[in-house]
Amino acid sequence: MAAPSPPNDPSTDPSPAELIAARPWLRHDPMAGLLMDGVPLAAIADAIGTPTWVYSAATMRARYRSLAAAMAEAALDVQVHYAVKANDSRAVLALFGSEGAGADVVSGGELLKARRAGIPASRIVYSGVGKSEQELRLALSEGIGQINVESAEELSMLSCLADALGRRARIALRVNPDVDAGTNEKIATGRAEDKFGISYADAAALYARAATMPGIDPIGLATHIGSQILALAPYRDAFARIAALVVALREQGLRVSAVDCGGGLGIPYRNEPAPSPAGLAACMRSAFHGLNVRLAMEPGRWLVGSAGVLLASVVLIKQSPLERFIVLDAGMNELVRPAMYDAWHGIVPVSATDAIAPRVPASVVGPVCESGDTFARSRLLPSLAPEARVAILDAGAYGAVMSSTYNARPLAAEAWVDSERWSVIRDRQAVETLWERERLPE
């Protein structure tokens, strides 16, 4: 038996052709190069430059509808709350709102943005471990559908605020089921040592206490075990624990009418096996069928991640004694995931000529003055020339929304592709705006 390839062996990576073949909204045209839903990405780069985010509206719609269909086929009545933190573009929010989705928000800003995009307050769930008094007042004044309470301290604060305002807050207790989802350490949220949620051992007593508190209307439970989850077993374990808690609470005479199952379903960045919505639906049905609870879920990455790319241009090729570097005009201030999580993203040439050229190992880096500003090590790519363009794949989630202006680099433009047409949904930030709110001290 052959020895396994080392983790950084480029021969283990899917080729650009394999990556594109697995994403039917992308294809290479022999003349126009890489297309997204029939639109040449080179044409977008020609018109508005790079770096630029580009999103496929059709892909987002199709993924939302396939998720909803999987739940329906499992005979589950599930309200989908799109996780705004994955991509908070108003165009994205409006698209999912028009499909019937609600929003899962984690800040007052996200709440207001979802409302401005047309999502009804009744379809908004507010999650997050550090809600301020100001944010909770906003949630109460808007009359949102549900607040996922993460601690006894938050519950007490919310009770005082709601009572003072003459409101009743519909709440679910976010329970930490102490389940390891097997994902990256920095995006795990359901283990006992994570900052999120109420410990499983304390949840029943706190729920009973909530039922007696002024201004509080406890309606159910919520859980969320992490992001980019590539196995169904953690969901089965977490849902089983939540279902058992529903039964235990009802045995105490407490009303439990809703369960929020959270999000976290992963996507195949490297064409690796990934769970399907049907598999997740089966886990939900197995745990909650017969309990007569309204179900909700909070998908984010699964809906938008694969639908986006980051277009970038080659600044130069740098040959050092030990390594060949492809230096792009996009950096970690645009897409921080590789620097933050060691995340892997496919990188494919935009040009049709480059697409069929021989590939050689190179490290793909950005211009930011940090060694961590690296998108890929020893990646097999064509010998790209300066001004050649590449598309960094699966960048629709936790991409633009996590961007910064580090190194005084303005935020990139965002483009929208729909029905073989494209439009700008966010202009490139003007460099002058980087200092327009600054003042020199007197």
Side-chain angles (χ1 to χ4, degrees), residues 182-411:
T183 188
N184 186 286
E185 177 76 16
K186 295 180 180 179
I187 52 177
T189 62
R191 304 167 303 178
E193 64 266 30
D194 295 324
K195 71 177 182 179
F196 298 96
I198 296 152
S199 73
Y200 192 85
D202 296 336
L206 188 60
Y207 195 91
R209 178 183 162 201
T212 69
M213 297 175 73
I216 298 297
D217 180 15
I219 61 173
L221 304 172
T223 195
H224 194 300
I225 58 173
S227 185
Q228 185 53 15
I229 299 170
L230 294 174
L232 291 174
Y235 286 115
R236 284 192 289 267
D237 294 344
F239 296 163
R241 301 207 79 194
I242 298 301
L245 188 55
V246 171
V247 172
L249 291 170
R250 286 176 172 172
E251 288 175 348
Q252 297 178 42
L254 297 167
R255 177 175 65 98
V256 184
S257 59
V259 171
D260 184 341
C261 297
L265 201 60
I267 61 174
Y269 288 95
R270 298 185 67 154
N271 289 1
E272 67 269 47
S276 67
L280 179 60
C283 293
M284 293 167 67
R285 179 176 173 81
S286 175
F288 302 113
H289 179 65
L291 287 183
N292 191 28
V293 289
R294 296 193 316 275
L295 295 177
M297 62 189 310
E298 304 164 4
R301 182 195 314 267
W302 195 88
L303 292 173
V304 296
S306 300
V309 302
L310 174 60
L311 291 182
S313 298
V314 175
V315 176
L316 54 85
I317 305 296
K318 176 182 176 180
Q319 185 66 59
S320 75
L322 298 179
E323 191 125 20
R324 178 173 172 269
F325 294 95
I326 299 173
V327 184
L328 304 179
D329 62 357
M332 63 184 286
N333 64 294
E334 273 86 31
L335 182 62
V336 73
R337 295 189 71 253
M340 183 178 288
Y341 306 130
D342 292 324
W344 194 98
H345 283 265
I347 302 173
V348 301
V350 171
S351 160
T353 302
D354 289 338
I356 59 174
R359 295 182 295 138
V360 293
S363 290
V364 183
V365 301
V368 173
C369 284
E370 299 280 352
S371 295
D373 185 27
T374 299
F375 294 116
R377 292 281 188 191
S378 301
R379 190 72 61 87
L380 288 174
L381 288 168
S383 298
L384 300 168
E387 300 186 9
R389 290 159 178 156
V390 297
I392 302 176
L393 304 184
D394 304 320
Y398 307 105
V401 76
M402 295 179 77
S403 295
S404 74
T405 57
Y406 185 46
N407 282 188
R409 290 170 50 81
L411 297 176

Side-chain angles (χ1 to χ4, degrees), residues 31-55:
M31 299 297 294
L34 189 61
L35 308 180
M36 175 182 280
D37 294 335
V39 173
L41 293 179
I44 297 177
D46 286 344
I48 61 175
T50 57
T52 291
W53 306 93
V54 188
Y55 307 120

Side-chain angles (χ1 to χ4, degrees), residues 93-112:
L93 298 179
L95 181 148
F96 289 125
S98 69
E99 291 290 318
D104 167 56
V105 305
V106 295
S107 73
E110 285 189 351
L111 194 163
L112 291 173

